[in-house]
Structures are given as structure tokens and as C-alpha cells.
Amino acid sequence: MPESIDLDTGTSSHTVSKAAQQCPLLSSESAAATFVSHGSDELHPMLKTLRDEAPVFFSEELNMWIVSRYDDVTRILKNAELFPASTRSIIMASYPPEVREVLASTSTFTAPNMGFDGSPTHDRLRKPVVPYFSAKGVKRLEPRIRDITAQRIAEIPSEPPVDLVEAYARPLANSIVIELAGFPEDDYDRIIHYHRAVNAFFFGQPPAHLQLAYAKDVREWEEYLSGVIRLRSESPRDDLISLLTQKVARGEADYTEQELISLISFDVITAGFRPTSFALANLCKELLQDPRRWQLLHDEPGHFDALFNETLRRSGPALGVFRMTAADAEVGGVRIPAGSVLWVMTASANRDERHFPHPDAFDPQRPHLAGSLHFSQGLHYCLGANLARVVARAGITALVRHRPGLRLVPGQERVYEPSINVVAPTRLLVEW
């Protein structure tokens, strides 16, 4: 991560709030330790302390600013010009030269991309795919999503205990995204293999001895994608890749091949697999923690939206999003130099007492729930929000019908995804 530059002297320094300097709980070291301890019980108490005492806090260990209050987070998300999402160069800079050289040759890490670029590039890349992921577009996909869900439900082992993440949530999300994107069904394992490499670079860090091999996998993945794009151009079907190649051919979309590869690689596959499966896993966990919630959904399926929204507010799968400062900025009364990295904590904003009274309680009927930031806001509002909701609804509805007596295995060890920005179980043992 780049160092901050002092506004007055131009020398390398960091501005840390007085509260952060004086409170041991808010030391850079203790904050960083909590953030990297996956599923830590101290996470939300730490975030509350930050909101109350140091809402704009610099972590020296992480070398970035932590922004935790709802109003500050919302302001940043809505101002993509001052706080751009252009963080790929930071990811690449953390790897050895030989790894960076390979990544720099890939479209995933260098081509214009709606997830990282601002307007007008963002708008040009996003506009052609919006109808496919709109509420109307996703509604058209529901029968296919339900069919895939039925197939995955039938594959859940018949004898408990069962890991609901491995046996259901993850393969369901992966299968739906692969099918709707337009990949050959027989390539499932190959796509998962390539996804492992891309995912590791964006949401974690591959072990040192695997980094070069993973970088080469990203390049090989793009060679494969180029072939799929060519296949769908010549033999279109009812899928996203076919739709986009046809729009390009008709002059209705302005994508280079590199931009199309980047879109499919990151925005569709990488950003589609994980958040969709995490949302379903967290929803199952929240509902099963209180059997009355599970029973409510079983008896009255119309409560799904409220239960889903409150789950994402209280237990969204992402801690936040990363942003840069394009110029010197002031956030919450704290000066932040240009070129700084911000970790914008949507998970903290969603538990900000100033906006959500009694934020730790699970209350699907709470007011202002529509203001939850789990799908972000502004220019980079989640493209797949409608799809994630429909997949979660199909997945949980089928599961409630298939296993109405489902319950968590008592006393199980909590195991979370090994990613600094993800709060989702990597294992969830259930029985019936």
C-alpha cells in the first residue's frame, strides 16, 4: 500500500486521531489483529469503538484508513470521482516483479473494467449488461435458477451431518453463474480451477510458492475465455456472453475483446461466485441460529425479503470496499492525502446506532432497512444485487421445503473464509 503524504511538509507521515493515539483498543496493531482474525468475536465491538471514538482511523499495519460511520461511508460511496475504486495497481504492487509481469499481461488486471473505473468508462461498460441483471431481466431467469436449485438440492447427502456450504451454497451459486454466463456445462471443474487463482489475487494472497503459477493460471484462463467468446459469437445461445457478443456485432455495445474478457473474468465470475454463495450461507446461518426464524420462513415465505435484507445488514459477507483518494480529501473532519487507501466499512455502517437503533439485534421489521449498504451505493452499486436476491430466495425456499427440520450441529467450531474482507462461514454443519 502507498504511504500517505503529509499535506504541509510533503514528507511521508500518517495522520492518526487523538483517540486512536490514546486508547489501547484503537492502536493500529490491535485493530489490524482483529480485522485479520477471521470471524473474530471482537470485530463488531471493535467497529463500535471506532465509530464512537475514531471514526476515521489510520492503521499503520494495514497502511490504510478505516472509515466506519454510516454518513462518512455513504458520502465516500456516492463520490466516485474523489474516491475512485481503482485499486488493481495496489494489488499488483504487493507481488514480486516476475508475478507482476505476468499479471500486467492480463486483461483481468489491466483492461478497463466497470468494477474499478469511473465515468465515462464505467458507464460505457455497464450499460449493455444492466438489462440482463435488472429486476425484469432476472425474473426471466427464475425458471432456470429454480431448475438448477432442484438439481443441487437432490445432491445434498441424505445422512447428516452435512456441510451446507460445501454441499449446497457454494456449488449452487457456481452452477447458476456458469449456466447463465454461457459456459459449456462440461467445463465446470476447469472454470472452478481458474477461478481459484483470480479469487486468490483479489480477495486474499496466494502463498509465495504458488504466486507465479497462479498468475500463469490467470493468463491461461483468459485464453480459455477468448475461445468461449468466439464460440458464443459463432453459436449464440440464451446466455450473457452470447448477448454481449451479439450487442457488439450490432453496434449496441462498445467492448474490445480485452474489456469483454475482463468483464467476464472479474465482474461475472469472480464477483458472482463468492458473494452469491456467501449471502446464501450467511442467510442460512442467521435463520438457523433462531429456529423461530426458520419456521417463520417455512410457514410464511412472503417474509423472505425482510429476512434477507436484515441478514445482509447485520451479517453481510463483506466488511467493506476499498477506495483511493484522487485528491486531498476531508472525511469526518480528518484530512486524508491524495493517493491514500481507504477501507470503507459498510459492515460497520450497517450497525451504526446513529442510523439503525439497536443495531446488533436481528429485526426484519426495523425502519430504514432500505438504507442498508450491503450492496454499496452510488456508481458501483452491485450489478448482481437482483440476481443474488433471486438465487438466495430459490436456494433457501427449496432448502426449507426439503429439510423443514434443519438445525445447526451444536458445539461446532466456527470456521470462516480466510480473507481479510470477508465474513462468511467456510463450513456450516447442519443436521435434521
Side-chain angles (χ1 to χ4, degrees):
M1 302 293 181
E3 288 188 325
S4 300
I5 304 298
D6 185 86
L7 293 174
D8 299 319
T9 66
T11 59
S12 173
S13 67
H14 304 299
T15 305
V16 182
S17 73
K18 183 177 180 180
Q21 291 174 319
Q22 292 181 343
C23 178
L25 183 60
L26 294 181
S27 71
S28 179
E29 182 178 3
S30 62
T34 300
F35 291 136
V36 300
S37 299
H38 312 299
S40 170
D41 290 336
E42 298 302 318
L43 174 62
H44 284 290
M46 167 69 77
L47 290 174
K48 174 173 171 49
T49 302
L50 289 176
R51 289 194 301 271
D52 292 344
E53 301 188 33
V56 182
F57 170 79
F58 188 81
S59 169
E60 295 181 1
E61 272 69 25
L62 300 175
N63 203 17
M64 65 180 72
W65 294 84
I66 311 298
V67 182
S68 55
R69 281 187 184 171
Y70 185 94
D71 289 344
D72 295 331
V73 168
T74 303
R75 178 197 164 207
I76 291 170
L77 295 178
K78 289 183 175 180
N79 191 342
E81 184 175 354
L82 181 57
F83 303 102
S86 50
T87 55
R88 284 182 295 183
S89 61
I90 299 171
I91 295 173
M92 291 175 61
S94 65
Y95 294 101
E98 63 274 16
V99 177
R100 291 201 305 270
E101 182 180 359
V102 177
L103 294 178
S105 70
T106 68
S107 300
T108 302
F109 279 88
T110 61
N113 181 280
M114 74 176 84
F116 300 99
D117 288 301
S119 298
T121 299
H122 168 276
D123 305 337
R124 172 176 63 83
L125 298 174
R126 185 173 177 124
K127 184 178 179 181
V129 298
V130 166
Y132 192 84
F133 289 102
S134 67
K136 181 179 179 181
V138 171
K139 185 173 181 60
R140 187 180 68 85
L141 303 173
E142 283 193 56
R144 294 165 70 183
I145 292 171
R146 287 196 294 268
D147 287 345
I148 296 171
T149 302
Q151 294 170 17
R152 287 300 183 182
I153 274 283
E155 294 170 358
I156 294 177
S158 59
E159 295 297 325
V162 168
D163 179 356
L164 205 56
V165 175
E166 181 181 8
Y168 186 58
R170 188 181 297 130
L172 174 61
N174 294 351
S175 296
I176 289 173
V177 172
I178 287 173
E179 163 70 16
L180 299 183
F183 290 99
E185 184 178 352
D186 292 343
D187 290 353
Y188 180 93
D189 290 339
R190 186 178 185 181
I191 295 165
I192 298 300
H193 170 79
Y194 290 138
H195 164 68
R196 178 188 62 177
V198 180
N199 176 76
F201 283 116
F202 279 107
F203 296 103
Q205 189 168 55
H209 68 285
L210 293 176
Q211 290 172 4
L212 185 57
Y214 274 26
K216 291 178 179 178
D217 277 348
V218 176
R219 190 164 58 189
E220 187 177 304
W221 157 239
E222 294 189 354
E223 293 171 358
Y224 165 77
L225 283 179
S226 182
V228 174
I229 291 170
R230 186 166 55 252
L231 173 65
R232 291 292 164 248
S233 298
E234 298 168 354
S235 303
R237 306 186 318 181
D238 183 12
D239 57 57
L240 180 59
I241 297 176
S242 297
L243 172 69
L244 294 179
T245 57
Q246 289 176 311
K247 284 193 172 187
V248 170
R250 294 193 299 261
E252 298 171 3
D254 180 17
Y255 293 130
T256 65
E257 182 178 357
Q258 290 72 30
E259 289 169 344
L260 195 51
I261 287 173
S262 180
L263 185 154
I264 299 166
S265 176
F266 181 79
D267 301 297
V268 176
I269 295 299
T270 304
F273 278 3
R274 289 166 57 84
T276 306
S277 65
F278 292 161
L280 179 55
N282 277 358
L283 177 60
C284 291
K285 178 173 66 70
E286 282 283 10
L287 297 186
L288 290 171
Q289 282 178 338
D290 185 339
R292 292 173 298 179
R293 301 171 191 165
W294 188 261
Q295 190 64 41
L296 174 64
L297 188 60
H298 177 270
D299 296 341
E300 301 181 52
H303 285 283
F304 168 81
D305 281 328
L307 292 167
F308 183 65
N309 290 340
E310 177 67 348
T311 292
L312 291 183
R313 181 204 67 83
R314 187 177 180 275
S315 301
L319 277 179
V321 296
F322 296 100
R323 295 291 186 262
M324 301 284 292
T325 46
D328 295 345
E330 183 172 306
V331 178
V334 177
R335 294 183 303 168
I336 301 179
S340 298
V341 181
L342 290 77
W343 195 356
V344 187
M345 291 282 180
T346 52
S348 175
N350 282 341
R351 293 205 187 196
D352 190 340
E353 302 83 346
R354 299 156 190 79
H355 198 81
F356 299 104
H358 311 292
D360 294 333
F362 187 90
D363 179 8
Q365 304 306 317
R366 69 171 59 251
H368 310 303
L369 193 52
S372 176
L373 303 178
H374 47 265
F375 287 128
S376 190
Q377 272 196 11
L379 188 70
H380 295 288
Y381 181 81
C382 178
L383 179 69
N386 292 312
L387 180 62
R389 183 178 299 276
V390 169
V391 172
R393 179 187 289 113
I396 198 73
T397 300
L399 191 60
V400 166
R401 290 174 180 167
H402 184 68
R403 294 294 181 193
L406 202 69
R407 59 184 180 271
L408 294 175
V409 171
Q412 64 181 283
E413 179 186 3
R414 299 190 307 165
V415 183
Y416 284 81
E417 285 288 324
S419 172
I420 189 175
N421 196 40
V422 173
V423 185
T426 192
R427 185 180 69 192
L428 189 66
L429 298 179
V430 295
E431 58 187 13
W432 50 88

